[in-house]
Amino acid sequence: MGSGSSVNPTNYKYSLQKSENAFKAAVLIQQWYRRYVARLEMRRRCTWRIFQSIEYACEQDQIKLHNFFSYLMDHFTPSSSKERDFISRMFISGESFKEAELEKYCDYESMEVPDSYTGPRLSFPLLPDHATALLEAFKQKQQLHARYVLNLLHETRKHLKQLPNISHVSTCYSEEVTVCGDLHGQLDDLFFIFYKNGLPSPSKSYVFNGDFVDRGKQSLEILIILFTFLLIYPKEVHLNRGNHEDHMVNLRYGFTKEVMQKYKVHGKKILKMIQNVFCWLPLATLIDQKVLIIHGGISDTTDLDMLHKIQRNKFISVLRGKKRKESNKDVEIQEINGESKVETESSESESDLSLSPQPRPAPSITNRLEFSKWLRQTVQEQIDWCRQLVDSESEPEEPTYSSVVSLTELDTQCWTHQEEWKQILDILWSDPMSQEGCRVNTVRGGGCYFGPDVTNKILEKYNLQFLIRSHECKHEGYEFCHNRKVLTIFSASNYYEIGSNRGAYVKLGPDLVPHFVQYQASKTAHTLTMTQRISRVEESAFRALREKLFAHTSALISAFKAYDKDNTGKISLSSWAMAVESVLHLGLPWRMLRPQLVRSTADGMLEYKSWLDDLAMEQRSQEHIQTSLLEVIYRNRSNLETIFRIIDRDHSGLISFEEFRQTWKLFSTHMNTELTDDGINDLVRSIDFNKDGNIDFNEFLEAFRLVKQSQ
């Protein structure tokens, strides 16, 4: 017989109690960890809201600034031919060169490459080895010679002019199509994508969905690489235009400055050529006729047929595409492609160029010979007219794709410039929203917000499966919305700060099922814990927010006093939150952010003057400038720098005395400051510190300070 073993009741009870304690401890740890992660996520979301609100407010300022220029154009009446010429040069003309003039101005063949140059060399047609050499050179921080840059831009422009407004990609000819979002001058992200996914090749197609430039420090290198691959693999590499492929936006967000710093001698020529290349970039891409890729979004008026046929190169800057009516005249000022009628009179020959020749009545189609003859003559007339319209003095050239498309459908309706401009503005600047409908995008200041119903309408109308867009930074690098019918893809990792977000790209095969790859291009981000990343990003966000608060000190004081009826110098914390939002209009959860911005008080009241003094001390520790002036500069520096670059037509970093005089006369009628001609001359002489006869940006700020002090 077998022997049995008995269980000691005491040991069993002890073991059970021990297991129960371990289980309780595990539950407590789990609860603690969940609360900890929830707090971190709350901090991350608040930080994200801060960065995004400040970014969009800056974009809104950019559009407001150009609306201000538009207002000046409508209401400023030049008193002399000199003023009229200046206005025309500053805001209107000079944006578009005629074909022959552009070729002559950007003549790269006359440039010699010295023997001492050790960087990469390009010869056309380009080969894959050229692309590999460029990648290696840029990794070693080498710079491509200006001759090759201009040559590359020239060839890229020639190629883009033959492309349709909407590119078509098929998964039948390659294993898959890779779609990348915003890169914003972050070359490391592009290197990482190529390292992880492979270089463009006949079996690997890429679509880059705009916003290649601005913000980052290597925008030009990204353009050079993308344009090189575009010329090597024209059927496999596709580029869409983004809202930052716009020279007016580049003035504010750093690309213009980057080019001029890297190419001090030939930078102006490179910028002019890039400006022209940007306006020829396609507007959208279709994959297998089922997936539409656009940079921003759509609206309830988006019309792909119109987008397919409009002359996209007219819109060098989308910010300057509006048509405005003069207050007392039935005359419209058009600002398309930098062309405008400043004077109401125009010559008969000019007006003839703006009207398309009307085709003669078509003969009966039963008479094939006559009908064929009529069609050839009509098309030839349209081609001749297009050549005149684009460049009345240039030599004849092959018609572009968009011209041919418009000629093949002679009965097509004509759209106004306003309608065409709105189509492009909407696809470059719009964002999706969760609510139904379509409304103006007041946060960015341009484009619209479109809801799920608008998306469904477009998908159904054009028999599409879903939309891919970029334009918005996402924490994980991508995000679905509208019941997975709209996909946002963003490829610039660490966009706001190291650790702030991942980058991502999406791959589509013949089944059109999206497969995502996420990454962090920064090595530093990989060494940080989640807590360290959030703390670092949070610190950067609150530093930017404090600068924003300090820049509006005067307005905040007025808002606080409105709540301080008894003039005690104190307001409640809830009143503080409402007052701050009424001034900054950032839509932030101020009550949640308050602990990071305001020291808690026992009575729940805030001494707002001492709080503002603390903000001022924090900023003055970085800038040894008078507090009131520093506030003004913090609030207006971006706008002032953009204004300066607009006046500085040759991007030399200097403006002449005459340009300054004319600009100040233009602004003085809209600032509460009246300056006579003698007063402006005295101002010019007083701020020209080095007496070189020109004004740099620091001297321009000095003029602003002097006038501000005199108010």
Side-chain angles (χ1 to χ4, degrees):
M1 296 193 52
S3 61
S5 60
S6 61
V7 178
N8 190 324
T10 304
N11 291 340
Y12 176 76
K13 184 178 181 180
Y14 174 76
S15 176
L16 189 64
Q17 186 178 6
K18 188 175 180 181
S19 299
E20 185 178 348
N21 290 340
F23 181 76
K24 288 181 179 179
V27 170
L28 287 174
I29 292 172
Q30 186 182 62
Q31 290 175 345
W32 172 85
Y33 180 74
R34 286 176 175 173
R35 284 196 295 267
Y36 171 74
V37 171
R39 284 195 296 269
L40 283 180
E41 178 62 15
M42 183 181 67
R43 288 170 58 190
R44 185 195 68 76
R45 292 189 181 188
C46 286
T47 300
W48 193 265
R49 289 271 308 266
I50 293 171
F51 274 128
Q52 203 165 59
S53 296
I54 292 176
E55 177 189 5
Y56 291 172
C58 189
E59 290 184 347
Q60 192 177 88
D61 286 345
Q62 172 76 0
I63 293 179
K64 285 180 179 177
L65 177 62
H66 288 90
N67 288 342
F68 170 67
F69 285 145
S70 300
Y71 179 82
L72 293 181
M73 287 300 305
D74 281 344
H75 294 84
F76 180 77
T77 304
S79 59
S80 65
S81 59
K82 184 180 291 187
E83 288 184 4
R84 187 179 296 110
D85 292 343
F86 171 74
I87 294 296
S88 177
R89 187 174 69 253
M90 178 176 171
F91 297 115
I92 304 168
S93 65
E95 304 302 344
S96 57
F97 273 62
K98 294 178 180 179
E99 188 76 21
E101 291 175 346
L102 186 66
E103 296 283 340
K104 184 178 180 181
Y105 179 73
C106 300
D107 179 23
Y108 57 87
E109 293 180 345
S110 61
M111 299 181 187
E112 292 186 4
V113 180
D115 295 334
S116 58
Y117 173 72
T118 58
R121 297 174 182 266
L122 302 182
S123 59
F124 295 83
L126 292 173
L127 300 173
D129 288 345
H130 291 118
T132 305
L134 280 174
L135 291 172
E136 291 302 317
F138 291 153
K139 286 178 182 178
Q140 301 300 322
K141 308 299 181 184
Q142 290 182 313
Q143 186 169 294
L144 185 63
H145 192 275
R147 184 193 193 282
Y148 300 126
V149 175
L150 285 170
N151 195 354
L152 176 66
L153 293 172
H154 173 79
E155 295 298 325
T156 302
R157 179 173 172 272
K158 279 171 53 179
H159 172 70
L160 290 175
K161 288 176 69 174
Q162 305 306 316
L163 299 183
N165 293 343
I166 301 177
S167 303
H168 293 264
V169 183
S170 174
T171 55
C172 297
Y173 301 110
S174 61
E175 297 175 1
E176 59 190 9
V177 178
T178 302
V179 182
C180 302
D182 300 33
L183 289 167
H184 278 301
Q186 298 185 187
L187 186 58
D188 286 343
D189 287 300
L190 183 61
F191 283 156
F192 192 90
I193 292 170
F194 287 159
Y195 167 75
K196 197 81 173 176
N197 196 56
L199 296 176
S201 68
S203 61
K204 192 171 291 294
S205 296
Y206 276 89
V207 178
F208 293 93
N209 196 24
D211 278 13
F212 319 121
V213 302
D214 281 332
R215 302 189 188 278
K217 297 181 180 179
Q218 293 174 294
S219 298
L220 186 57
E221 285 83 354
I222 286 179
L223 281 186
I224 291 171
I225 291 171
L226 294 184
F227 291 163
T228 299
F229 277 116
L230 175 69
L231 295 179
I232 296 173
Y233 302 110
K235 294 182 180 179
E236 289 78 32
V237 176
H238 306 271
L239 309 180
N240 284 351
R241 184 176 183 177
N243 65 308
H244 278 262
E245 277 67 63
D246 185 314
H247 78 103
M248 297 302 286
V249 178
N250 301 152
L251 287 169
R252 187 185 192 104
Y253 290 101
F255 181 53
T256 300
K257 187 175 181 180
E258 176 193 331
V259 174
M260 291 306 300
Q261 286 178 341
K262 291 178 177 177
Y263 293 91
K264 293 180 172 59
V265 177
H266 300 291
K268 184 183 175 184
K269 294 181 179 180
I270 292 172
L271 281 172
K272 182 60 63 177
M273 202 67 182
I274 289 175
Q275 173 183 317
N276 202 273
V277 169
F278 279 171
C279 71
W280 281 107
L281 285 169
L283 303 173
T285 300
L286 264 175
I287 299 180
D288 292 345
Q289 301 294 324
K290 290 294 182 181
V291 180
L292 177 64
I293 306 173
I294 45 179
H295 177 73
I298 55 177
S299 73
D300 53 1
T301 60
T302 295
D303 185 340
L304 296 188
D305 295 326
M306 188 189 302
L307 282 173
H308 184 65
K309 296 168 186 172
I310 62 178
Q311 192 179 343
R312 66 181 183 270
N313 66 302
K314 291 190 300 184
F315 300 91
I316 285 186
S317 174
V318 180
L319 293 182
R320 299 177 63 174
K322 294 182 180 179
K323 288 172 69 178
R324 301 173 306 279
K325 291 186 178 180
E326 294 185 358
S327 55
N328 298 321
K329 298 179 183 179
D330 194 21
V331 178
E332 291 182 332
I333 299 178
Q334 301 178 357
E335 284 187 17
I336 308 291
N337 192 21
E339 297 171 359
S340 178
K341 291 184 180 180
V342 181
E343 303 176 17
T344 56
E345 300 90 18
S346 61
S347 65
E348 187 174 343
S349 61
E350 289 175 335
S351 62
D352 288 342
L353 286 177
S354 64
L355 298 174
S356 171
Q358 298 298 318
R360 295 181 296 278
S364 173
I365 196 168
T366 56
N367 190 334
R368 294 180 178 272
L369 185 61
E370 286 296 320
F371 184 82
S372 176
K373 182 179 179 182
W374 168 85
L375 185 61
R376 284 197 302 271
Q377 289 177 343
T378 306
V379 169
Q380 187 59 47
E381 289 174 2
Q382 292 282 337
I383 291 175
D384 292 340
W385 167 73
C386 283
R387 286 173 179 163
Q388 283 185 302
L389 187 62
V390 174
D391 184 3
S392 58
E393 296 181 7
S394 65
E395 296 179 1
E397 58 176 329
E398 291 298 318
T400 63
Y401 181 92
S402 56
S403 301
V404 174
V405 168
S406 63
L407 296 176
T408 57
E409 299 184 19
L410 300 175
D411 58 343
T412 299
Q413 70 177 93
C414 292
W415 297 289
T416 65
H417 286 309
Q418 178 75 8
E419 290 172 326
E420 294 179 343
W421 165 77
K422 187 179 185 306
Q423 289 289 320
I424 296 180
L425 182 74
D426 286 344
I427 66 168
L428 297 187
W429 281 85
S430 297
D431 297 304
M433 65 177 180
S434 56
Q435 299 86 356
E436 300 280 307
C438 186
R439 58 183 174 85
V440 176
N441 192 334
T442 55
V443 176
R444 287 190 190 267
C448 70
Y449 281 118
F450 62 98
D453 56 326
V454 178
T455 297
N456 290 332
K457 178 183 174 183
I458 291 291
L459 295 181
E460 184 178 342
K461 181 178 179 180
Y462 296 103
N463 194 26
L464 301 171
Q465 289 187 15
F466 62 96
L467 307 179
I468 297 180
R469 42 94 60 179
S470 301
H471 195 44
E472 283 185 289
C473 181
K474 298 299 179 182
H475 181 249
E476 295 298 328
Y478 73 94
E479 183 179 276
F480 276 109
C481 64
H482 295 183
N483 196 26
R484 298 180 68 86
K485 295 296 180 61
V486 174
L487 168 63
T488 299
I489 195 79
F490 196 86
S491 300
S493 64
N494 308 294
Y495 179 62
Y496 294 122
E497 177 62 72
I498 292 178
S500 64
N501 67 285
R502 296 180 181 180
Y505 56 87
V506 60
K507 299 190 288 186
L508 299 172
D511 57 0
L512 298 181
V513 175
H515 300 276
F516 302 98
V517 177
Q518 299 167 283
Y519 55 86
Q520 283 273 10
S522 171
K523 294 181 180 179
T524 306
H526 293 285
T527 64
L528 301 175
T529 65
M530 183 169 63
T531 305
Q532 289 173 329
R533 284 201 304 270
I534 291 177
S535 297
R536 181 169 182 162
V537 175
E538 188 179 53
E539 181 183 348
S540 177
F542 278 103
R543 184 167 57 248
L545 187 56
R546 290 188 185 96
E547 289 181 5
K548 196 83 173 173
L549 289 165
F550 172 71
H552 293 80
T553 299
S554 300
L556 286 171
I557 290 176
S558 299
F560 292 152
K561 286 182 177 179
Y563 287 95
D564 183 17
K565 303 294 184 183
D566 299 328
N567 200 25
T568 61
K570 295 182 178 182
I571 57 173
S572 67
L573 295 176
S574 60
S575 297
W576 170 85
M578 289 186 287
V580 169
E581 177 58 27
S582 69
V583 172
L584 267 63
H585 304 291
L586 293 177
L588 293 173
W590 294 105
R591 287 183 176 84
M592 190 179 295
L593 301 176
R594 177 181 54 77
Q596 298 283 346
L597 298 170
V598 180
R599 287 194 296 268
S600 59
T601 56
D603 58 355
M605 302 294 285
L606 169 68
E607 292 184 3
Y608 54 84
K609 290 184 179 178
S610 62
W611 175 69
L612 290 171
D613 287 341
D614 291 341
L615 280 180
M617 287 296 295
E618 185 178 334
Q619 305 306 323
R620 288 181 68 183
S621 64
Q622 303 171 26
E623 304 274 356
H624 302 290
I625 308 177
Q626 176 187 346
T627 303
S628 59
L629 173 61
L630 188 59
E631 173 200 341
V632 174
I633 291 177
Y634 263 89
R635 187 168 65 250
N636 297 285
R637 185 181 179 95
S638 292
N639 283 338
L640 290 172
E641 192 167 356
T642 305
I643 292 170
F644 181 86
R645 287 177 182 160
I646 291 174
I647 303 169
D648 177 21
R649 301 300 301 165
D650 61 356
H651 306 293
S652 63
L654 301 170
I655 57 177
S656 67
F657 280 7
E658 185 59 31
E659 288 174 329
F660 179 84
R661 289 190 191 97
Q662 300 295 349
T663 304
W664 208 261
K665 287 182 69 175
L666 188 68
F667 291 161
S668 65
T669 57
H670 301 282
M671 302 169 67
N672 296 322
T673 306
E674 289 297 331
L675 284 177
T676 63
D677 288 344
D678 291 339
I680 295 176
N681 290 334
D682 291 339
L683 178 63
V684 170
R685 285 191 292 269
S686 66
I687 64 174
D688 183 21
F689 300 132
N690 55 8
K691 306 303 177 186
D692 64 349
N694 292 297
I695 298 170
D696 60 25
F697 180 62
N698 289 329
E699 293 170 336
F700 187 70
L701 286 180
E702 176 67 8
F704 188 81
R705 182 186 71 82
L706 292 175
V707 173
K708 188 70 182 176
Q709 283 187 338
S710 69
Q711 293 181 335

